[in-house]
Amino acid sequence: MGPLEAVGLAAGLLGAVLFGCGAVAQAHGVRRHPVPPGHLPGFVARSVRDPWTWLVLAAYLGGFLLHVVAIWWLPLYLAQATVAMALPVAALAQRHVEEPLGLAHWTSVGLVVLGLTLLAAGSGSAGATRTDPVLALVLALAALALALASVLRHRLGPAGLGALAGLGYAGSAVAVRGVQLPVDGPVLVCALAVPSFSLVAFWLYSLGMDRAAVSSATAPMNVGQTFVPAAVGVALLGDTVRHGWEPVVLLGLVVSTWGAVRLGRAGDLARPHRPTDQGSAELAPSG
């Protein structure tokens, strides 16, 4: 591993710390309100008046900047794997919001860490930055599809909301690879796609954590934001796997996904149910 890759790896791991702590802080901030943030405009209107939300956003912004360094200097699957280490960080910090994790939770966290470690061990080189009209169009359509899918949020549990949020963050990571100089039409679309994906993902993630344990929404989110960009990076962006390590990478995908599913199921019973939003109830003042 060269010096740039080492810096990228360190940036990704430090970003994971900020994302993990931010996730627990976000859960605490959402639960300070008497009703969940049901609609995106109301969620934004309430958030801009909430100092706690600004603290969370500051942590996420710092994590995102470190994440960008990892995305540019590492294969997407490794960059996303390092950031997905926010899951055990969130699990460690979770005891400040909820009950301490039990043996089943820690076993699942261990599986996720093991799987992501195998994924990192099999990493090759990062592909070049790619910006073209096809990629820009796909990202624009994907952002629209995510917005339409969010209409079904009332029917989704914390795992489903976390999974959708993961797809949003995955789209944001892919879009970062399309941002470069000079700025033209496709580059501008990619640049605008980054905050578009992230805003919807942040909102859906907030909904998921409002309804259940932090791990219930975080586990499927990390699966989506790790493995979707991994596939896109290898298939379309030129990311490579170390020669002969393909079975190890596949094993890492299976193990980490299994651990994330187990952790999500174990966390579903950690918090009592909160009612879903109704109409404009999310605009009620905080308690």
Side-chain angles (χ1 to χ4, degrees):
M1 179 177 288
L4 289 181
E5 288 81 3
V7 172
L9 183 59
L13 291 173
L14 183 56
V17 174
L18 292 177
F19 283 137
C21 294
V24 176
Q26 182 180 355
H28 174 72
V30 169
R31 295 168 193 172
R32 291 167 58 238
H33 298 276
V35 289
H39 299 291
L40 182 56
F43 174 69
V44 173
R46 188 176 74 183
S47 297
V48 297
R49 302 192 302 268
D50 185 5
W52 190 271
T53 301
W54 284 106
L55 177 64
V56 173
L57 288 175
Y60 280 166
L61 179 59
F64 174 75
L65 294 177
L66 291 166
H67 187 195
V68 168
V69 173
I71 289 173
W72 280 340
W73 290 348
L74 297 174
L76 269 179
Y77 56 83
L78 180 53
Q80 296 303 104
T82 57
V83 174
M85 295 296 283
L87 176 58
V89 173
L92 286 169
Q94 183 177 348
R95 66 181 59 203
H96 297 291
V97 180
E98 301 163 354
E99 292 297 321
L101 300 181
L103 178 60
H105 297 84
W106 285 116
T107 302
S108 300
V109 169
L111 288 171
V112 173
V113 173
L114 174 61
L116 295 177
T117 300
L118 293 174
L119 185 63
S123 67
S125 60
T129 300
R130 171 187 170 182
T131 303
D132 55 58
V134 175
L135 178 62
L137 178 61
V138 170
L139 287 171
L141 292 176
L144 178 60
L146 180 66
L148 293 175
S150 69
V151 175
L152 302 176
R153 63 190 180 278
H154 304 294
R155 302 181 182 180
L156 297 176
L161 291 167
L164 276 183
L167 293 177
Y169 287 127
S172 178
V174 173
V176 167
R177 274 284 187 91
V179 179
Q180 61 180 343
L181 296 174
V183 176
D184 55 15
V187 170
L188 182 60
V189 171
C190 291
L192 292 175
V194 173
S196 299
F197 278 116
S198 298
L199 176 60
V200 176
F202 183 83
W203 169 51
L204 293 172
Y205 187 36
S206 297
L207 280 175
M209 290 193 297
D210 179 78
R211 298 179 187 178
V214 172
S215 58
S216 297
T218 301
M221 183 196 71
N222 278 327
V223 171
Q225 75 170 359
T226 301
F227 304 127
V228 172
V232 172
V234 171
L236 301 176
L237 301 179
D239 292 344
T240 63
V241 177
R242 289 176 62 185
H243 179 68
W245 283 68
E246 290 83 359
V248 176
V249 170
L250 179 60
L251 179 61
L253 291 172
V254 173
V255 171
S256 56
T257 302
W258 178 35
V261 171
R262 289 182 80 250
L263 184 56
R265 288 178 176 175
D268 281 339
L269 302 179
R271 289 190 71 242
H273 173 72
R274 284 223 325 177
T276 58
D277 57 282
Q278 299 292 334
S280 58
E282 75 284 351
L283 296 177
S286 60

